[in-house]
Amino acid sequence: MTSPNHADVEAAHTRIRPWIRHTPVLAPAERAGGITPSVLFKLEVTQRTGSFKARGAFNAMLAAPVPAAGVVTASGGNHGAAVADAALRLGHSATIFVPETAPQVKVDRLLRCNATVHRVGRVYADAYSAAVEHQRQTGARFLHAYDDPLVVAGQGTVAAEFLAQATATDGFGGLDSVLVAVGGGGLLGGVLAALAPHGVRVVAVESSGAPTLARALAAGRPVEVDVHGIAADSLGARRIGDHGFALAQAHLHANLLVEDDDIRAAQRWLWQEIRLIAEPGGAAALAALTSGRYQAAPGERVGVILCGSNTDPAAAI
């Protein structure tokens, strides 16, 4: 299936606007830890269910019919929570498959949205296989966490919204570059589709423990990788999605890797400087700045998407 483009993102933005939060932006007041006043944060940490994933879930369910059997996915994390919440609000049933190792706190969040939760296997791949089998047997709509074009287009609405806000923000008037965290590539693909016609450079930031994009770019195709590290719960896809990879090949400006210590430092910076909590994946893009791995040019207008907040606050500060 064709990867989403700018028109798909714009259509998704119109479609989901009544159902999601128009999240705010914030410019740091002073220079600190590699952050200058020419940096603008997009606070997607305040989105429904705590991450950008709400955008893709709503778009997928609003853009195409949902059968009587409802929707099904495999995810005990941000995608699962977003699917369960969107299904509840739109009047659909949701079945979520999670590994047996999924934390009970995450399972409880799914249950609060009236989702049917199945614990299957020890790893995500087991839950994914069970979800696909459920779809085959019941006819439910399967919503891939990061490689469904409607999901990807929905995720791209964060960038469309961000660019409009930056253009209207005093002292910015637009964006030159945007830093975005990468796991399976759904957010990255959507951001690339949204921003490519505007000439905004997109810089992908990966945890060194989950370099799915870096390995794919080196190989010239998506490949399986072993994943580990503190961001693996949200950026721990073992393979970059086909749509995200295709869009990266066409439009990506640069790809950077950050270490666990860089991510922890970025999480602490967010709390100490502006009293925001971000999960490791949510702070990964910022880590490229605070670690110095991304060096902004003088006067460069840099946008950073803080994409998720679902973590134990004690672990983030």
Side-chain angles (χ1 to χ4, degrees), residues 196-222:
H198 298 285
V200 178
R201 296 184 294 269
V202 177
V203 178
V205 183
E206 294 185 280
S207 161
S208 63
T212 55
L213 178 59
R215 296 285 178 81
L217 291 172
R221 58 182 175 81

Side-chain angles (χ1 to χ4, degrees), residues 166-201:
T167 301
T169 298
D170 289 344
F172 282 84
L175 292 168
D176 298 311
S177 308
V178 169
L179 307 185
V180 56
V182 181
L187 177 59
L188 174 66
V191 169
L192 287 164
L195 297 182
H198 298 285
V200 178
R201 296 184 294 269

Side-chain angles (χ1 to χ4, degrees), residues 28 32-36 38-41 177-179 203 205 256 258 262 266 269 283-297 300-306:
I35 308 302
T36 73
S38 60
V39 173
L40 192 65
F41 296 143
S177 308
V178 169
L179 307 185
V203 178
V205 183
L256 303 174
V258 293
D262 299 330
W269 187 94
L286 174 62
L289 279 178
T290 52
S291 68
R293 294 179 188 274
Y294 185 80
Q295 296 284 340
E300 180 182 352
R301 300 167 299 178
V302 180
V304 180
I305 300 174
L306 303 177

Side-chain angles (χ1 to χ4, degrees), residues 232-293:
D233 64 335
S234 57
L235 303 182
R238 296 174 60 87
R239 180 184 185 276
I240 197 76
D242 291 335
H243 295 295
F245 181 65
L247 286 159
Q249 283 189 308
H251 303 297
L252 187 66
H253 175 68
N255 185 48
L256 303 174
L257 297 178
V258 293
E259 303 298 328
D260 282 359
D261 286 347
D262 299 330
I263 294 172
R264 290 190 186 94
Q267 287 179 286
R268 288 192 296 269
W269 187 94
L270 281 171
W271 176 250
Q272 291 167 357
E273 298 296 331
I274 53 179
R275 286 299 189 259
L276 280 179
I277 295 292
E279 63 190 271
L286 174 62
L289 279 178
T290 52
S291 68
R293 294 179 188 274

Side-chain angles (χ1 to χ4, degrees), residues 8 22 28 42-43 59 66 107-108 115 117 126 144 184 187 207 228 249 251 259 278 283 296 303 316:
D8 296 320
H22 183 82
K42 176 63 168 164
L43 305 187
N59 190 51
V66 174
V107 173
D108 289 342
V117 181
D126 298 327
H144 197 287
L187 177 59
S207 161
H228 61 273
Q249 283 189 308
H251 303 297
E259 303 298 328

